[in-house]
Amino acid sequence: MTSLGFQFDNTYLDLPEALYSKLSPVPVTKPEMVILNLPLAIEMGLDFSGMSPDEQAALFAGNVVPDGAEPLAQAYAGHQFGHFTILGDGRAIVLGEHVTPSGQRLDVQFKGSGRTPYSRGGDGRAALGPMLREYVISEAMHALKVPTTRSLAVVTTGEQVHRETDLPGAILTRIGSSHLRVGTFQYAVMQQDKGILESLVYYTIERHFPSIKRAANKTLSLLEAVLEKQADLVAHWMRVGFIHGVMNTDNVALSGETIDYGPCAFMDAFDPGTVFSSIDHKGRYAFANQPSITQWNLARFAETLLPILDEDIKHASEIAEQVLRSFGPLYKEKWFSMMRAKLGFTGEREEDESLVTDLLDWMHGAEADYTNTFRDLTQDEPPQGKPYDDKAFLSWHARWRERLAQEENDMEASLALMNASNPAVIPRNHKVEQALDAATNGDLQPMRDLLAGLENPYEGRTALTPYQSPPKPEERVRQTFCGT
């Protein structure tokens, strides 16, 4: 097969063989294209226009492997809901690393491409609904300017997968800066070979943090760099009301991208304790817990680095603990900076913290919609109707406007900052579920309409109205599922 623009340069294979298994995707019976992300393909320098739909489907099903690809499944471990488990790509295969015309290195991964040595008894396949869910949410996150893996294509396989019932099988093509995870390092430490761990540290630095290659203590600098990336990422999640749902260490990408869209969801009414995941029975990964869980995951990453952080293990632990303690203040700074932007503040004043917390407290008590409340604040006059016809809100609004008047920049600059920080539309759970239900039953139009509505989420357009309204009581989605 011709390259189609693929420029593969597969450096992961230079790592010790304990970290991966080379194998090809398992062919499927009758692949058919569902969706192809043409804008992303163009960004990547790829051209599929000379291929028929059947040829495209064969490519994205893994039935045909392009020149230069060297498929592999990665080995890793992970703390899942706090419990350590040996894992690995049980239903995914990295086709190879594609270098774009701009020089960006991207993993091309098939998800649902068949059994691997890490399948642990699973069938290695995926169902159409969850693969389309990842496509929709990951592309929405990209449009929301949240660091994320992306989705290039979804194909059906012509085969059924059995979960609770028989469902149409599908394969997603995921694009990511890499698939290096905290769990990759956890697996490397298990090999009890310092050389494997060192090679993984150097590889990660070369791939994601080349600016620290000359650092005196590269391992320490890597820990600090990953910590900052994760603080930035979670602040973005909190900005748009995103709840990951499965923040296990195997789902923490060292690149700082959101990865593995399982039971993820976006919050409607503001509630710090919001949980959607059907498997998160104790609220471990609730909305407000995401920063503390991120710090917990970073602690697990730091533990893996101790053997090479310093020759004295006690001193290494002290160094790591000092770095980890910096997460709280760093995240708080990033979070308040983000929240000030959501309220239109370019400068800092003493009363800002109380303005932020008082608004969130009111929103929680009033069950106000997280996304719409911030967007409604951009109006010239105080928002009208429920829940805004409330003395507490009107008092807060007057304080906020008084604070805005103290800004060095004019009101137009504050509104521009707010409009850039507060989306007009998010992929609301009930709309996503409606679109996926229709697609699973053969009607792709609701999904196409939803994707079109999510393309420019910071632009207020009349056409977005159907996607901006919170769910009616009967439309509320209370649980989301992993879809494995």
Tab-separated table of all heavy atoms in Angstrom, residues 190-236:
chain	number	residue	atom	x	y	z
A	190	MET	N	8.672	-2.707	37.657
A	190	MET	CA	8.434	-4.122	37.972
A	190	MET	C	9.475	-5.048	37.337
A	190	MET	O	9.674	-6.172	37.805
A	190	MET	CB	7.054	-4.540	37.486
A	190	MET	CG	5.898	-3.942	38.239
A	190	MET	SD	4.367	-4.486	37.488
A	190	MET	CE	4.557	-6.260	37.559
A	191	GLN	N	10.140	-4.578	36.278
A	191	GLN	CA	11.132	-5.424	35.601
A	191	GLN	C	12.419	-5.553	36.411
A	191	GLN	O	13.282	-6.368	36.078
A	191	GLN	CB	11.433	-4.867	34.207
A	191	GLN	CG	10.202	-4.595	33.338
A	191	GLN	CD	9.218	-5.756	33.326
A	191	GLN	OE1	9.578	-6.883	32.961
A	191	GLN	NE2	7.988	-5.490	33.736
A	192	GLN	N	12.548	-4.699	37.457
A	192	GLN	CA	13.714	-4.736	38.347
A	192	GLN	C	15.024	-4.644	37.572
A	192	GLN	O	15.995	-5.356	37.840
A	192	GLN	CB	13.679	-5.996	39.224
A	192	GLN	CG	12.457	-6.057	40.135
A	192	GLN	CD	12.463	-7.266	41.055
A	192	GLN	OE1	12.986	-8.326	40.706
A	192	GLN	NE2	11.888	-7.122	42.242
A	193	ASP	N	14.996	-3.753	36.579
A	193	ASP	CA	16.166	-3.511	35.738
A	193	ASP	C	16.313	-2.000	35.600
A	193	ASP	O	15.526	-1.353	34.907
A	193	ASP	CB	15.971	-4.175	34.371
A	193	ASP	CG	17.186	-4.031	33.461
A	193	ASP	OD1	17.959	-3.068	33.636
A	193	ASP	OD2	17.337	-4.863	32.562
A	194	LYS	N	17.313	-1.464	36.274
A	194	LYS	CA	17.501	-0.015	36.292
A	194	LYS	C	17.716	0.541	34.887
A	194	LYS	O	17.306	1.657	34.565
A	194	LYS	CB	18.704	0.329	37.192
A	194	LYS	CG	18.830	1.794	37.550
A	194	LYS	CD	19.961	1.985	38.568
A	194	LYS	CE	20.130	3.439	38.937
A	194	LYS	NZ	21.232	3.622	39.926
A	195	GLY	N	18.321	-0.260	34.030
A	195	GLY	CA	18.572	0.180	32.656
A	195	GLY	C	17.282	0.432	31.892
A	195	GLY	O	17.202	1.375	31.091
A	196	ILE	N	16.258	-0.403	32.116
A	196	ILE	CA	14.966	-0.208	31.447
A	196	ILE	C	14.344	1.107	31.894
A	196	ILE	O	13.848	1.892	31.070
A	196	ILE	CB	14.023	-1.389	31.743
A	196	ILE	CG1	14.540	-2.661	31.070
A	196	ILE	CG2	12.599	-1.074	31.276
A	196	ILE	CD1	13.713	-3.897	31.363
A	197	LEU	N	14.390	1.364	33.193
A	197	LEU	CA	13.813	2.601	33.718
A	197	LEU	C	14.554	3.818	33.186
A	197	LEU	O	13.933	4.810	32.771
A	197	LEU	CB	13.849	2.571	35.248
A	197	LEU	CG	13.204	3.747	35.967
A	197	LEU	CD1	11.729	3.872	35.603
A	197	LEU	CD2	13.371	3.596	37.480
A	198	GLU	N	15.861	3.749	33.161
A	198	GLU	CA	16.650	4.880	32.659
A	198	GLU	C	16.359	5.145	31.189
A	198	GLU	O	16.209	6.306	30.777
A	198	GLU	CB	18.142	4.602	32.862
A	198	GLU	CG	18.589	4.706	34.310
A	198	GLU	CD	20.051	4.350	34.491
A	198	GLU	OE1	20.582	3.561	33.666
A	198	GLU	OE2	20.668	4.845	35.454
A	199	SER	N	16.263	4.097	30.394
A	199	SER	CA	15.980	4.283	28.962
A	199	SER	C	14.610	4.911	28.759
A	199	SER	O	14.419	5.739	27.860
A	199	SER	CB	16.078	2.948	28.221
A	199	SER	OG	15.049	2.053	28.623
A	200	LEU	N	13.648	4.553	29.614
A	200	LEU	CA	12.303	5.116	29.508
A	200	LEU	C	12.302	6.594	29.906
A	200	LEU	O	11.619	7.412	29.268
A	200	LEU	CB	11.338	4.322	30.386
A	200	LEU	CG	9.845	4.585	30.193
A	200	LEU	CD1	9.420	4.386	28.748
A	200	LEU	CD2	9.032	3.681	31.117
A	201	VAL	N	13.070	6.951	30.916
A	201	VAL	CA	13.188	8.359	31.311
A	201	VAL	C	13.773	9.179	30.167
A	201	VAL	O	13.231	10.228	29.788
A	201	VAL	CB	14.060	8.503	32.577
A	201	VAL	CG1	14.469	9.958	32.801
A	201	VAL	CG2	13.316	7.986	33.797
A	202	TYR	N	14.870	8.714	29.597
A	202	TYR	CA	15.510	9.463	28.518
A	202	TYR	C	14.601	9.560	27.301
A	202	TYR	O	14.553	10.597	26.628
A	202	TYR	CB	16.855	8.814	28.140
A	202	TYR	CG	17.869	8.836	29.265
A	202	TYR	CD1	18.740	7.775	29.475
A	202	TYR	CD2	17.945	9.922	30.144
A	202	TYR	CE1	19.662	7.792	30.519
A	202	TYR	CE2	18.864	9.948	31.189
A	202	TYR	CZ	19.707	8.881	31.370
A	202	TYR	OH	20.605	8.893	32.408
A	203	TYR	N	13.888	8.472	27.010
A	203	TYR	CA	12.977	8.487	25.866
A	203	TYR	C	11.858	9.499	26.067
A	203	TYR	O	11.502	10.251	25.152
A	203	TYR	CB	12.387	7.090	25.656
A	203	TYR	CG	11.434	7.012	24.482
A	203	TYR	CD1	11.917	6.908	23.185
A	203	TYR	CD2	10.067	7.056	24.672
A	203	TYR	CE1	11.055	6.838	22.100
A	203	TYR	CE2	9.191	7.001	23.599
A	203	TYR	CZ	9.697	6.887	22.316
A	203	TYR	OH	8.827	6.840	21.258
A	204	THR	N	11.285	9.521	27.260
A	204	THR	CA	10.187	10.447	27.550
A	204	THR	C	10.653	11.894	27.447
A	204	THR	O	9.953	12.756	26.915
A	204	THR	CB	9.609	10.164	28.949
A	204	THR	OG1	9.200	8.796	29.019
A	204	THR	CG2	8.417	11.065	29.232
A	205	ILE	N	11.853	12.165	27.959
A	205	ILE	CA	12.409	13.518	27.873
A	205	ILE	C	12.627	13.898	26.412
A	205	ILE	O	12.261	15.000	25.986
A	205	ILE	CB	13.727	13.602	28.672
A	205	ILE	CG1	13.438	13.516	30.172
A	205	ILE	CG2	14.471	14.893	28.338
A	205	ILE	CD1	14.681	13.403	31.033
A	206	GLU	N	13.216	13.012	25.646
A	206	GLU	CA	13.478	13.291	24.230
A	206	GLU	C	12.186	13.552	23.473
A	206	GLU	O	12.112	14.459	22.628
A	206	GLU	CB	14.222	12.107	23.602
A	206	GLU	CG	14.580	12.300	22.141
A	206	GLU	CD	15.657	13.346	21.921
A	206	GLU	OE1	16.592	13.425	22.751
A	206	GLU	OE2	15.572	14.082	20.920
A	207	ARG	N	11.150	12.797	23.818
A	207	ARG	CA	9.905	12.896	23.047
A	207	ARG	C	9.036	14.080	23.463
A	207	ARG	O	8.402	14.712	22.620
A	207	ARG	CB	9.122	11.589	23.184
A	207	ARG	CG	7.892	11.550	22.297
A	207	ARG	CD	7.562	10.187	21.818
A	207	ARG	NE	6.424	10.212	20.919
A	207	ARG	CZ	5.840	9.150	20.422
A	207	ARG	NH1	6.298	7.942	20.721
A	207	ARG	NH2	4.800	9.256	19.611
A	208	HIS	N	8.984	14.375	24.776
A	208	HIS	CA	8.037	15.381	25.247
A	208	HIS	C	8.652	16.595	25.932
A	208	HIS	O	8.020	17.652	25.972
A	208	HIS	CB	7.046	14.732	26.221
A	208	HIS	CG	6.140	13.744	25.581
A	208	HIS	ND1	5.286	14.075	24.552
A	208	HIS	CD2	5.952	12.421	25.810
A	208	HIS	CE1	4.615	13.000	24.177
A	208	HIS	NE2	5.000	11.986	24.916
A	209	PHE	N	9.863	16.448	26.451
A	209	PHE	CA	10.447	17.552	27.216
A	209	PHE	C	11.908	17.784	26.819
A	209	PHE	O	12.805	17.772	27.655
A	209	PHE	CB	10.353	17.253	28.722
A	209	PHE	CG	8.960	16.907	29.183
A	209	PHE	CD1	8.580	15.576	29.387
A	209	PHE	CD2	8.016	17.900	29.401
A	209	PHE	CE1	7.301	15.251	29.808
A	209	PHE	CE2	6.726	17.586	29.819
A	209	PHE	CZ	6.366	16.264	30.021
A	210	PRO	N	12.172	17.999	25.532
A	210	PRO	CA	13.566	18.128	25.089
A	210	PRO	C	14.299	19.309	25.722
A	210	PRO	O	15.531	19.315	25.784
A	210	PRO	CB	13.444	18.298	23.569
A	210	PRO	CG	12.040	18.765	23.334
A	210	PRO	CD	11.226	18.116	24.407
A	211	SER	N	13.546	20.283	26.234
A	211	SER	CA	14.196	21.457	26.832
A	211	SER	C	14.951	21.118	28.109
A	211	SER	O	15.774	21.914	28.566
A	211	SER	CB	13.157	22.544	27.125
A	211	SER	OG	12.217	22.102	28.085
A	212	ILE	N	14.668	19.938	28.705
A	212	ILE	CA	15.347	19.588	29.960
A	212	ILE	C	16.484	18.586	29.741
A	212	ILE	O	17.035	18.056	30.706
A	212	ILE	CB	14.352	19.046	31.020
A	212	ILE	CG1	13.747	17.706	30.575
A	212	ILE	CG2	13.249	20.058	31.300
A	212	ILE	CD1	12.865	17.064	31.652
A	213	LYS	N	16.861	18.349	28.489
A	213	LYS	CA	17.901	17.362	28.214
A	213	LYS	C	19.243	17.728	28.858
A	213	LYS	O	20.046	16.858	29.177
A	213	LYS	CB	18.090	17.179	26.702
A	213	LYS	CG	16.981	16.375	26.052
A	213	LYS	CD	17.363	15.896	24.667
A	213	LYS	CE	17.456	17.059	23.688
A	213	LYS	NZ	17.692	16.562	22.306
A	214	ARG	N	19.470	19.012	29.059
A	214	ARG	CA	20.742	19.457	29.637
A	214	ARG	C	20.651	19.673	31.146
A	214	ARG	O	21.592	20.184	31.767
A	214	ARG	CB	21.206	20.741	28.945
A	214	ARG	CG	21.502	20.572	27.462
A	214	ARG	CD	21.889	21.890	26.814
A	214	ARG	NE	22.132	21.726	25.384
A	214	ARG	CZ	23.326	21.444	24.850
A	214	ARG	NH1	24.381	21.310	25.648
A	214	ARG	NH2	23.462	21.312	23.561
A	215	ALA	N	19.522	19.326	31.753
A	215	ALA	CA	19.344	19.539	33.191
A	215	ALA	C	20.356	18.712	33.985
A	215	ALA	O	20.746	17.615	33.571
A	215	ALA	CB	17.928	19.167	33.609
A	216	ALA	N	20.770	19.256	35.124
A	216	ALA	CA	21.751	18.549	35.964
A	216	ALA	C	21.190	17.222	36.462
A	216	ALA	O	21.883	16.207	36.487
A	216	ALA	CB	22.152	19.441	37.132
A	217	ASN	N	19.907	17.238	36.884
A	217	ASN	CA	19.232	16.014	37.301
A	217	ASN	C	18.009	15.850	36.396
A	217	ASN	O	16.949	16.398	36.662
A	217	ASN	CB	18.826	16.092	38.773
A	217	ASN	CG	18.267	14.769	39.294
A	217	ASN	OD1	17.668	13.994	38.557
A	217	ASN	ND2	18.449	14.511	40.590
A	218	LYS	N	18.188	15.111	35.316
A	218	LYS	CA	17.130	14.984	34.310
A	218	LYS	C	15.888	14.325	34.892
A	218	LYS	O	14.758	14.690	34.540
A	218	LYS	CB	17.637	14.177	33.117
A	218	LYS	CG	18.774	14.830	32.340
A	218	LYS	CD	19.194	13.953	31.172
A	218	LYS	CE	20.340	14.593	30.386
A	218	LYS	NZ	21.559	14.744	31.229
A	219	THR	N	16.057	13.366	35.775
A	219	THR	CA	14.906	12.670	36.350
A	219	THR	C	14.074	13.615	37.197
A	219	THR	O	12.830	13.620	37.120
A	219	THR	CB	15.381	11.479	37.201
A	219	THR	OG1	16.226	10.647	36.397
A	219	THR	CG2	14.200	10.666	37.702
A	220	LEU	N	14.726	14.441	37.996
A	220	LEU	CA	14.021	15.443	38.795
A	220	LEU	C	13.292	16.427	37.896
A	220	LEU	O	12.121	16.753	38.140
A	220	LEU	CB	15.011	16.181	39.689
A	220	LEU	CG	14.475	17.395	40.468
A	220	LEU	CD1	13.335	16.999	41.388
A	220	LEU	CD2	15.605	18.065	41.248
A	221	SER	N	13.956	16.884	36.853
A	221	SER	CA	13.332	17.841	35.927
A	221	SER	C	12.138	17.223	35.217
A	221	SER	O	11.147	17.901	34.949
A	221	SER	CB	14.361	18.332	34.901
A	221	SER	OG	15.387	19.072	35.545
A	222	LEU	N	12.211	15.912	34.923
A	222	LEU	CA	11.078	15.228	34.298
A	222	LEU	C	9.890	15.213	35.247
A	222	LEU	O	8.753	15.496	34.839
A	222	LEU	CB	11.465	13.799	33.912
A	222	LEU	CG	10.325	12.935	33.359
A	222	LEU	CD1	9.773	13.514	32.064
A	222	LEU	CD2	10.795	11.500	33.146
A	223	LEU	N	10.122	14.879	36.512
A	223	LEU	CA	9.033	14.867	37.491
A	223	LEU	C	8.384	16.247	37.586
A	223	LEU	O	7.157	16.358	37.591
A	223	LEU	CB	9.564	14.427	38.849
A	223	LEU	CG	8.572	14.440	40.016
A	223	LEU	CD1	7.368	13.551	39.730
A	223	LEU	CD2	9.269	14.014	41.312
A	224	GLU	N	9.191	17.283	37.652
A	224	GLU	CA	8.665	18.643	37.744
A	224	GLU	C	7.874	19.025	36.500
A	224	GLU	O	6.808	19.646	36.591
A	224	GLU	CB	9.815	19.630	37.960
A	224	GLU	CG	10.495	19.484	39.307
A	224	GLU	CD	11.770	20.300	39.422
A	224	GLU	OE1	12.381	20.608	38.372
A	224	GLU	OE2	12.177	20.616	40.557
A	225	ALA	N	8.366	18.625	35.329
A	225	ALA	CA	7.695	18.969	34.072
A	225	ALA	C	6.355	18.250	33.941
A	225	ALA	O	5.356	18.836	33.509
A	225	ALA	CB	8.596	18.635	32.885
A	226	VAL	N	6.333	16.962	34.298
A	226	VAL	CA	5.081	16.201	34.227
A	226	VAL	C	4.071	16.766	35.222
A	226	VAL	O	2.879	16.898	34.906
A	226	VAL	CB	5.349	14.702	34.494
A	226	VAL	CG1	4.040	13.939	34.687
A	226	VAL	CG2	6.145	14.099	33.341
A	227	LEU	N	4.532	17.118	36.413
A	227	LEU	CA	3.640	17.694	37.416
A	227	LEU	C	2.976	18.968	36.899
A	227	LEU	O	1.761	19.150	37.043
A	227	LEU	CB	4.432	17.970	38.696
A	227	LEU	CG	3.651	18.541	39.889
A	227	LEU	CD1	4.163	17.951	41.201
A	227	LEU	CD2	3.765	20.061	39.946
A	228	GLU	N	3.746	19.823	36.267
A	228	GLU	CA	3.157	21.074	35.756
A	228	GLU	C	2.159	20.800	34.632
A	228	GLU	O	1.101	21.419	34.568
A	228	GLU	CB	4.244	22.026	35.265
A	228	GLU	CG	3.680	23.305	34.677
A	228	GLU	CD	4.491	24.554	35.040
A	228	GLU	OE1	5.617	24.409	35.528
A	228	GLU	OE2	3.981	25.655	34.818
A	229	LYS	N	2.492	19.874	33.748
A	229	LYS	CA	1.563	19.510	32.664
A	229	LYS	C	0.231	19.016	33.221
A	229	LYS	O	-0.843	19.363	32.718
A	229	LYS	CB	2.184	18.420	31.787
A	229	LYS	CG	3.242	18.892	30.821
A	229	LYS	CD	2.632	19.395	29.531
A	229	LYS	CE	3.688	19.615	28.466
A	229	LYS	NZ	3.117	20.193	27.228
A	230	GLN	N	0.294	18.182	34.263
A	230	GLN	CA	-0.935	17.635	34.827
A	230	GLN	C	-1.742	18.703	35.544
A	230	GLN	O	-2.980	18.702	35.496
A	230	GLN	CB	-0.604	16.476	35.775
A	230	GLN	CG	0.013	15.267	35.091
A	230	GLN	CD	-0.879	14.673	34.007
A	230	GLN	OE1	-2.090	14.543	34.185
A	230	GLN	NE2	-0.278	14.315	32.881
A	231	ALA	N	-1.068	19.647	36.205
A	231	ALA	CA	-1.778	20.755	36.848
A	231	ALA	C	-2.507	21.597	35.802
A	231	ALA	O	-3.666	21.999	36.000
A	231	ALA	CB	-0.796	21.618	37.650
A	232	ASP	N	-1.845	21.863	34.687
A	232	ASP	CA	-2.491	22.615	33.593
A	232	ASP	C	-3.707	21.872	33.065
A	232	ASP	O	-4.768	22.464	32.842
A	232	ASP	CB	-1.497	22.830	32.442
A	232	ASP	CG	-0.509	23.944	32.712
A	232	ASP	OD1	-0.866	24.910	33.425
A	232	ASP	OD2	0.626	23.865	32.211
A	233	LEU	N	-3.545	20.561	32.855
A	233	LEU	CA	-4.625	19.772	32.266
A	233	LEU	C	-5.860	19.770	33.150
A	233	LEU	O	-6.977	20.003	32.676
A	233	LEU	CB	-4.144	18.334	32.031
A	233	LEU	CG	-5.189	17.376	31.451
A	233	LEU	CD1	-5.666	17.843	30.084
A	233	LEU	CD2	-4.633	15.951	31.371
A	234	VAL	N	-5.684	19.513	34.446
A	234	VAL	CA	-6.843	19.430	35.336
A	234	VAL	C	-7.509	20.797	35.477
A	234	VAL	O	-8.740	20.881	35.574
A	234	VAL	CB	-6.447	18.841	36.700
A	234	VAL	CG1	-7.635	18.803	37.637
A	234	VAL	CG2	-5.914	17.424	36.510
A	235	ALA	N	-6.736	21.869	35.464
A	235	ALA	CA	-7.341	23.206	35.493
A	235	ALA	C	-8.235	23.410	34.266
A	235	ALA	O	-9.310	24.012	34.370
A	235	ALA	CB	-6.257	24.274	35.552
A	236	HIS	N	-7.811	22.896	33.127
A	236	HIS	CA	-8.658	22.956	31.916
A	236	HIS	C	-9.941	22.148	32.112
A	236	HIS	O	-11.026	22.583	31.721
A	236	HIS	CB	-7.895	22.422	30.710
A	236	HIS	CG	-7.085	23.446	29.991
A	236	HIS	ND1	-7.644	24.533	29.351
A	236	HIS	CD2	-5.749	23.560	29.804
A	236	HIS	CE1	-6.693	25.257	28.787
A	236	HIS	NE2	-5.532	24.697	29.048
